[in-house]
Amino acid sequence: KRKGFIFDLDGVIVDTAKYHFLAWKNLANSLGFDFTETQNEQLKGVSRVESLKKILAWGETSVSEEKFQELMTLKNTEYLEFINKMDNSEILPDVPRVLDYLKDNNQGVSLGSASKNARIILEKVNILSKFEAIVDGNDVSKAKPDPEVFLNAATAINVKPEDCIVFEDSVAGVQAANAAHMISIGIGSQDVLHEADYIFNDFTEISTEFINKLINN
Ligand code: BG6
Ligand code: MG
């Protein structure tokens, strides 16, 4: 059967989660406060606007609308400096193996990311062509944990939500997948992603047998 496999980008395909963290941390520091790696888990999967709102709340800082826009631009400019240095060595282990296996077995493969930089990143690491459809932060109005991005990613490859499987590294993303009634696969730690249907540390732990089980269920 043809299922839909929907991949988050940041922290699933590439380790850009660390660059988001660094850029937000530097921004917070420039405003005179800091936040922890534990707090950072709440930013993963969340849109740029929602991330800045959370960070400002942590620093008990409020800014004008104009300043808010300026801060988002500052963060993204620094983030893009990291992105511009990326190449295919930053694709996370065994992601290409799984993508190729799915393609060879005629499965639907799409991207479901909150990032407005998704296409640039996929081009940078040279795997844009492995996706049948891209749904990213430019295509949605509601941030994860809202299921909009995954529902659109399913429609884009013409697969029903209940036949879709989502790979996610964030709490908000796992919740979005669950809300879309899709199978959620957490990539990361059990402690953080316990709401997922399955959890793996990374793609090296995802066997062909397991993928076949998902395809045939
Ligand atoms: C998500 C990241 O994939 O995209 C978040 O996990 C990020 O950390 C969000 O804020 C938006 O990304 P961008 O690239 O549009 O700022
Ligand atoms: Mg992510």
Side-chain angles (χ1 to χ4, degrees):
K1 183 164 184 192
R2 184 174 181 272
K3 296 282 179 83
F5 289 81
I6 305 175
F7 290 73
D8 173 48
L9 173 67
D10 297 311
V12 168
I13 293 172
V14 282
D15 192 13
T16 40
K18 66 184 179 206
Y19 300 140
H20 279 295
F21 178 49
L22 278 173
W24 282 130
K25 201 175 166 62
N26 287 339
L27 190 86
N29 292 168
S30 76
L31 295 168
F33 61 93
D34 204 3
F35 62 89
T36 64
E37 224 161 312
T38 310
Q39 282 174 301
N40 186 57
E41 289 301 331
Q42 297 178 45
L43 302 180
K44 289 185 182 173
V46 171
S47 68
R48 200 180 305 168
V49 176
E50 294 304 320
S51 299
L52 182 53
K53 284 185 191 164
K54 282 181 201 263
I55 292 165
L56 292 174
W58 294 336
E60 292 170 1
T61 304
S62 64
V63 297
S64 66
E65 180 52 34
E66 197 191 343
K67 181 79 179 170
F68 190 96
Q69 293 302 328
E70 198 182 295
L71 293 174
M72 285 215 298
T73 305
L74 264 173
K75 186 268 176 177
N76 197 51
T77 305
E78 188 183 1
Y79 180 66
L80 286 175
E81 281 170 23
F82 292 121
I83 298 311
N84 281 323
K85 293 185 198 122
M86 286 180 84
D87 60 32
N88 63 2
S89 68
E90 292 196 51
I91 298 175
L92 288 166
D94 272 13
V95 169
R97 172 183 62 86
V98 172
L99 286 171
D100 289 339
Y101 184 81
L102 293 171
K103 195 168 193 183
D104 292 346
N105 287 275
N106 302 314
Q107 298 300 301
V109 174
S110 60
L111 191 87
S113 168
S115 175
K116 296 189 172 181
N117 297 304
R119 278 174 192 274
I120 310 174
I121 295 169
L122 291 174
E123 271 166 17
K124 267 308 238 193
V125 301
N126 213 9
I127 52 166
L128 183 63
S129 63
K130 294 196 191 283
F131 294 86
E132 245 177 275
I134 309 284
V135 178
D136 66 22
N138 301 295
D139 307 312
V140 293
S141 56
K142 291 172 234 143
K144 298 172 187 176
D146 189 282
E148 184 184 16
V149 62
F150 293 141
L151 293 172
N152 289 357
T155 306
I157 52 173
N158 205 15
V159 181
K160 290 198 217 94
E162 60 266 34
D163 289 330
C164 287
I165 297 100
V166 172
F167 296 101
E168 256 294 346
D169 70 313
S170 71
V171 176
V174 165
Q175 290 170 340
N178 292 343
H181 302 290
M182 298 176 176
I183 291 175
S184 54
I185 303 187
I187 303 293
S189 89
Q190 169 81 46
D191 294 347
V192 178
L193 301 174
H194 52 83
E195 289 172 66
D197 294 316
Y198 303 92
I199 304 165
F200 299 96
N201 285 307
D202 57 47
F203 281 84
T204 66
E205 293 180 356
I206 299 185
S207 67
T208 302
E209 292 68 40
F210 178 72
I211 298 171
N212 287 339
K213 203 175 87 182
L214 293 170
I215 294 173
N216 296 317
N217 255 355

